[in-house]
Amino acid sequence: MKIFSKIFTALFLFVGFSVTSQTKSQALSKINTEGFQNSQAMSLISDLSDVYGPRLTGTDQYYTAAEWAKKTIANWGIDKVYFESYCDDCMGWEVKSFNVEMTAPAYMKIQAYPYAWTENSNGVQIGDLIWIESYTNLEKVKEQWSGKLEGKTILIGSAPKQNMLFDALSTRFTDTQIEEAEKSIVPAPTNPLGPSAGDIDLIKDLEVIFESFMRKDDAFFTFLKAEGALSVLGTAPFFPGVIHPSGTYNYRESDVKSIPYFAISPESFGKLKRLIAREINPKIKFHLDSELYLKPENNVNIIAEITGSDPKLKDEVVMIGAHFDSWHPASGATDNGAGSAVMMEVMRIIKATGLKPKRTIRMALWGGEEQGYLGSLAYAENHYGKVKETTRTKEVEKISAYINMDNGAGQMRGVYLQGNEAVKPVFEEMLAPYAHLDVNNLTIQNTNFTDHDVFDYYNIPGFQIIQDKLNYQTVTHHTNLDALEYVPERDMMINATVIAALVYQIAEQESRLPRED
């Protein structure tokens, strides 16, 4: 009888394991079929970038795109789709027309794009160009230039170092880089996969980095206005000819606004600087027709939910997200239209398969990330408790995980574990079926400066996807070339399908993902 009992028990366990494995296999098969054979990822990113981009925080264009996303998701039969507001005083800013030229000593069309939230030029303006290398010591600048800036355009900063473009503009992570990251044993050393690494400190990020960076120009702008200067020209070292107009953060209604301020190509900057060095004074002609306005209703996060099917677990949530806002000079395709389209496609795939995850799956497309996590931080404070306070709501304990995508349009290569050792074996098992796609690389290291920082701060398991760099940091990040041409279809399909599979498996777990100690 004991022998029979043991045999029966072993058979029961084997059958149970087989059924469980088969069920998981069948679910992943459905996800793969939908994600790879019926993909809508490129259609979504095409709409989001070509039709509804750019999506600068506070603008009508952002809200129009948000309405499109909400309607599109609702048409898939997703259980809940709604907006949540995040900012009452974030201003919109639109460009209607602009032009920048050198008219003397010879004509040159200056490759330019205005920085956001700068003031209208009130028509065509013409003035001599002068150079101010730095305004870090504003008192020294005032001492040298007070009374001398009226009617002038200022060339600000140093000419970027010459770049002969011997290095590739687009790259994927090498096996060596991936292996080095996987071998890391502490979260915060220099990250072989990119520059953003360190101990995540949300308060430090927001107060020391974002706020000090955002407010660094205010006194200089005030001085230029008082002196009667006409405009400012600046640049960044993006070769060849790439314009990088991010860096103005005067988006709140009460913020000091700059006189017309243009980012120009490094090549245009270099020529202007060389002429000044020869004591030849270029004459600059420009106009900027722009509009500042305040419409708080534009500032919304887009939230969507597939309600869990298990009576005991449906109140627990697996969250995914990406920031929906972008900078203004292009369509915001890689930053972060690609991430937003992938997360939308994740929701579509899971819904279209007919799978019924035990836990609720919630997607958030955040506004205002580029201005310091405005959307995700407002959401967290509304749902989890105030920053800097120790009291937390019970909702914090209901979130099993948050997975974020915001590193361009490159293929997923794995997950940054953010120092969470306990989750490694869980993700290893979940990603094993996709090892042939090389998406199952895990590193204990941190990456930061995007929305998962907020969730990590609340001790919610928050993870950022590792993605191939492609040309994100060299060509498209916050530039006039952030366009659909730099979004690879295969990468988008892999990203959406693998994340859908990962999220579904997390939602099916008997318990939440382990938190950091």
Side-chain angles (χ1 to χ4, degrees):
M1 189 68 179
K2 289 181 179 179
I3 295 174
F4 177 80
S5 177
K6 289 179 180 179
I7 294 173
F8 181 81
T9 301
L11 181 63
F12 177 81
L13 290 173
F14 174 77
V15 170
F17 175 77
S18 298
V19 170
T20 301
S21 300
Q22 187 179 35
T23 301
K24 175 181 173 180
S25 177
Q26 289 174 335
L28 296 187
S29 178
K30 289 181 179 181
I31 289 171
N32 294 345
T33 299
E34 188 61 36
F36 293 137
Q37 297 183 29
N38 302 317
S39 175
Q40 293 185 24
M42 288 306 292
S43 174
L44 291 170
I45 185 59
S46 179
D47 282 349
L48 189 53
S49 60
D50 288 346
V51 181
Y52 295 102
R55 303 169 301 281
L56 185 69
T57 293
T59 59
D60 292 338
Q61 189 69 20
Y62 176 92
Y63 188 74
T64 300
E67 287 190 309
W68 164 82
K70 182 181 178 183
K71 181 178 179 180
T72 300
I73 296 166
N75 286 342
W76 296 333
I78 301 297
D79 299 320
K80 296 180 183 178
V81 191
Y82 52 96
F83 291 155
E84 289 192 9
S85 298
Y86 68 84
C87 187
D88 293 331
D89 61 347
C90 293
M91 298 193 72
W93 179 84
E94 306 276 1
V95 176
K96 299 178 181 179
S97 175
F98 74 93
N99 190 44
V100 185
E101 304 166 294
M102 181 179 74
T103 59
Y107 179 82
M108 179 178 73
K109 172 70 175 179
I110 296 175
Q111 302 302 315
Y113 212 96
Y115 286 94
W117 298 290
T118 61
E119 292 182 340
N120 195 303
S121 69
N122 297 314
V124 176
Q125 305 287 343
I126 302 175
D128 291 335
L129 184 70
I130 60 100
W131 176 55
I132 298 176
E133 183 173 11
S134 173
Y135 55 89
T136 302
N137 187 338
L138 187 57
E139 291 306 312
K140 185 176 180 180
V141 172
K142 289 180 178 180
E143 183 179 318
Q144 182 178 358
W145 292 103
S146 290
K148 301 175 184 178
L149 296 181
E150 187 170 0
K152 299 291 194 297
T153 286
I154 293 93
L155 187 69
I156 189 74
S158 301
K161 184 179 179 181
Q162 189 178 36
N163 183 347
M164 299 307 294
L165 300 176
F166 293 130
D167 296 331
L169 289 177
S170 184
T171 58
R172 294 189 185 274
F173 288 127
T174 65
D175 291 343
T176 300
Q177 288 173 310
I178 292 290
E179 288 170 6
E180 186 180 347
E182 287 189 310
K183 290 177 181 177
S184 298
I185 58 175
V186 292
T190 300
N191 188 344
L193 303 183
S196 295
D199 291 318
I200 291 176
D201 185 336
L202 183 70
I203 303 304
K204 181 180 178 182
D205 285 356
L206 292 174
E207 293 184 350
V208 178
I209 299 172
F210 273 103
E211 280 302 315
S212 63
F213 185 69
M214 290 174 182
R215 302 278 72 83
K216 66 182 175 61
D217 299 327
D218 288 1
F220 183 60
F221 291 159
T222 301
F223 170 66
L224 294 182
K225 283 186 177 183
E227 291 293 311
L230 293 179
S231 65
V232 182
L233 307 180
T235 196
F238 275 67
F239 290 89
V242 181
I243 303 167
H244 188 264
S246 75
T248 48
Y249 293 87
N250 300 55
Y251 57 89
R252 295 195 186 274
E253 187 177 23
S254 59
D255 290 341
V256 175
K257 303 299 184 292
S258 171
I259 60 176
Y261 189 3
F262 299 92
I264 67 176
S265 71
E267 295 87 349
S268 292
F269 189 102
K271 180 173 180 176
L272 293 172
K273 174 61 178 63
R274 291 191 295 272
L275 288 172
I276 291 173
R278 292 186 176 201
E279 298 185 350
I280 299 172
N281 294 323
K283 193 172 289 291
I284 303 299
K285 177 182 178 181
F286 72 93
H287 82 269
L288 172 58
D289 184 3
S290 61
E291 180 185 6
L292 281 158
Y293 54 88
L294 178 62
K295 294 184 179 179
E297 63 271 20
N298 287 348
N299 302 315
V300 293
N301 296 319
I302 306 111
I303 315 295
E305 293 183 7
I306 297 173
T307 305
S309 61
D310 189 295
K312 294 182 179 179
L313 296 177
K314 66 180 181 180
D315 289 338
E316 294 185 6
V317 177
V318 181
M319 283 194 72
I320 59 175
H323 74 83
F324 196 68
D325 63 307
S326 73
W327 284 103
H328 57 292
S331 60
T334 70
D335 188 24
N336 187 29
S340 295
V342 162
M343 293 312 190
M344 290 176 67
E345 174 72 348
V346 168
M347 299 295 279
R348 189 199 67 79
I349 289 170
I350 293 173
K351 187 65 179 180
T353 60
L355 296 170
K356 304 292 184 183
K358 294 177 180 178
R359 288 176 178 81
T360 293
I361 297 174
R362 180 180 299 152
M363 181 200 71
L365 301 179
W366 308 114
E369 186 271 351
E370 298 290 4
Q371 289 69 51
Y373 323 143
L374 298 181
S376 57
L377 186 60
Y379 178 91
E381 289 205 303
N382 287 336
H383 289 267
Y384 307 142
K386 298 298 181 183
V387 169
K388 298 183 182 180
E389 295 181 5
T390 57
T391 302
R392 294 288 177 257
T393 69
K394 292 182 179 179
E395 192 172 348
V396 170
E397 298 302 318
K398 296 291 186 179
I399 309 299
S400 181
Y402 173 76
I403 297 175
N404 194 72
M405 177 164 274
D406 176 24
N407 276 329
Q411 182 188 306
M412 175 181 176
R413 299 295 298 276
V415 183
Y416 291 104
L417 299 179
Q418 307 298 140
N420 190 340
E421 288 277 8
V423 83
K424 185 176 182 180
V426 181
F427 280 177
E428 284 177 337
E429 180 181 349
M430 291 179 176
L431 292 173
Y434 298 94
H436 64 290
L437 297 175
D438 197 19
V439 297
N440 59 331
N441 304 288
L442 303 172
T443 175
I444 200 65
Q445 288 186 331
N446 298 337
T447 185
N448 47 11
F449 296 111
T450 189
D451 292 298
H452 73 290
D453 282 7
V454 173
F455 291 83
D456 187 86
Y457 173 81
Y458 284 86
N459 200 33
I460 293 168
F463 308 100
Q464 170 74 1
I465 299 297
I466 301 170
Q467 293 175 258
D468 277 328
K469 296 183 291 185
L470 302 183
N471 30 47
Y472 187 57
Q473 295 292 343
T474 56
V475 176
T476 68
H477 184 247
H478 297 182
T479 77
N480 63 317
L481 295 182
D482 189 0
L484 190 64
E485 281 73 11
Y486 297 99
V487 178
E489 181 175 12
R490 185 176 187 273
D491 291 23
M492 291 285 287
M493 292 168 64
I494 289 173
N495 294 348
T497 305
V498 174
I499 293 173
L502 180 61
V503 166
Y504 175 77
Q505 290 177 85
I506 296 172
E508 289 291 286
Q509 289 285 100
E510 289 302 316
S511 58
R512 296 174 309 155
L513 289 188
R515 279 153 157 74
E516 292 180 67
D517 293 332

